[in-house]
Amino acid sequence: MEGKEEDVRLGANRYSERQPIGTAAQGADDKDYKEPPPAPLFEAEELTSWSFYRAGIAEFLATFLFLYISVLTVMGVVGNPSGSKCGTVGIQGIAWSFGGMIFVLVYCTAGISGGHINPAVTFGLFLARKLSLTRAVFYMVMQCLGAICGAGVVKGFQTTLYMGNGGGANSVAPGYTKGDGLGAEIVGTFVLVYTVFSATDAKRSARDSHVPILAPLPIGFAVFLVHLATIPITGTGINPARSLGAAIIYNKKQSWDDHWIFWVGPFTGAALAAIYHVVVIRAIPFKSRD
């Protein structure tokens, strides 16, 4: 028995030497992982590749479906004539609609386009050099077109309800300042894009291969939580394509008054998340100094 206990202690000591407690993220596994090269700023070959256009079509369709389902849900809540909370899904249902659709659509399109469905996500990944400027601009255009079409179909189905209840367009709610709205959009988008980086980090996947993770799940859940927090403030944008699509189709003054907030806020939040991920979490600028 004493011999076995001694072997166990020696084995434990050898393991602790190899894998110090609290430093697993910077152990031997890191030496085996090679950082992928940054995406080129402009990649002309992409323009002749069918996979490039297929990815753009996937982003268009995903954003179309996202706007269609989510805005229809919003219309069902704000257009409830009875005013009964039991008659609609309420704010929680709206949040689940947005988060659930992101979960489903990211799952469906991740293998084709990466499942961005949001210009702010695309912008953050571009800043982190995960995709080229060519692809980033193409994605953003397709996302915006998909959002416009999605909101347009909702209006076509329910024109009176749509135009009489704000069309799902984002605006800063009464009682809040533009600064409040901008801050909410920055923080909300930071949460989303930070989650995207963490859930799709190749190094984390290699290191934590024993921990199963379905990337679309935390991303969708982040969207759900941000909506719960910020619907009362801005209606929750955190996606410039979503805000643009609803604003264009609704096309009334109130949908344009604060529209800049839903571009500046998400892009700022995405940039901050990209910087935090690259500099603090991954420490890529300091790799050569180690």
Side-chain angles (χ1 to χ4, degrees):
M1 289 294 292
E2 291 181 359
K4 291 182 179 179
E5 291 177 356
E6 183 65 22
D7 289 341
V8 170
R9 284 195 295 270
L10 290 173
N13 289 337
R14 285 194 294 269
Y15 176 79
S16 64
E17 290 173 0
R18 293 196 307 268
Q19 194 86 349
I21 295 174
T23 60
Q26 300 175 17
D29 288 344
D30 283 3
K31 297 177 181 178
D32 298 331
Y33 176 82
K34 293 184 179 180
E35 196 71 41
L41 186 62
F42 179 78
E43 194 169 2
E45 292 181 0
E46 287 185 319
L47 300 177
T48 61
S49 171
W50 165 240
S51 63
F52 175 77
Y53 297 99
R54 183 184 66 164
I57 294 170
E59 287 293 311
F60 171 88
L61 182 60
T63 316
F64 168 84
L65 294 173
F66 176 57
L67 264 288
Y68 172 73
I69 296 296
S70 58
V71 174
L72 265 182
T73 305
V74 172
M75 292 299 98
V77 173
V78 301
N80 179 29
S82 66
S84 170
K85 292 183 179 179
C86 296
T88 70
V89 295
I91 288 180
Q92 293 87 350
I94 293 175
W96 275 120
S97 175
F98 278 87
M101 280 304 291
I102 288 298
F103 167 68
V104 170
L105 294 170
V106 170
Y107 179 83
C108 292
T109 61
I112 303 172
S113 66
H116 297 190
I117 322 171
N118 185 337
V121 171
T122 300
F123 181 65
L125 293 172
F126 165 70
L127 292 181
R129 303 296 300 277
K130 302 295 185 182
L131 72 164
S132 67
L133 178 61
T134 315
R135 186 174 292 265
V137 171
F138 183 49
Y139 276 15
M140 291 181 191
V141 171
M142 297 301 283
Q143 289 158 0
C144 290
L145 290 176
I148 294 168
C149 292
V153 170
V154 175
K155 181 181 177 180
F157 284 169
Q158 303 178 332
T159 303
T160 302
L161 180 64
Y162 184 88
M163 296 306 296
N165 292 280
N170 292 116
S171 62
V172 178
Y176 293 96
T177 66
K178 294 184 186 299
D180 296 333
L182 181 62
E185 289 296 308
I186 291 174
V187 175
T189 311
F190 179 90
V191 171
L192 169 59
V193 179
Y194 176 38
T195 304
V196 169
F197 275 116
S198 298
T200 60
D201 188 357
K203 180 179 180 181
R204 178 174 181 172
S205 298
R207 188 185 69 232
D208 300 337
S209 58
H210 62 288
V211 181
I213 180 171
L214 185 62
L217 182 59
I219 296 171
F221 200 61
V223 172
F224 165 71
L225 293 174
V226 171
H227 274 75
L228 282 182
T230 59
I231 282 177
I233 304 173
T234 62
T236 308
I238 68 172
N239 184 334
R242 172 260 186 274
S243 300
L244 179 66
I248 287 178
I249 299 302
Y250 184 58
N251 198 29
K252 289 191 177 181
K253 183 177 183 298
Q254 69 186 70
S255 66
W256 295 111
D257 285 345
D258 304 323
H259 188 68
W260 64 271
I261 290 174
F262 302 100
W263 285 87
V264 175
F267 273 56
T268 302
L272 293 173
I275 293 170
Y276 180 73
H277 177 77
V278 171
V279 177
V280 178
I281 301 301
R282 297 297 303 279
I284 291 176
F286 309 104
K287 293 290 185 181
S288 59
R289 302 179 187 179
D290 294 340

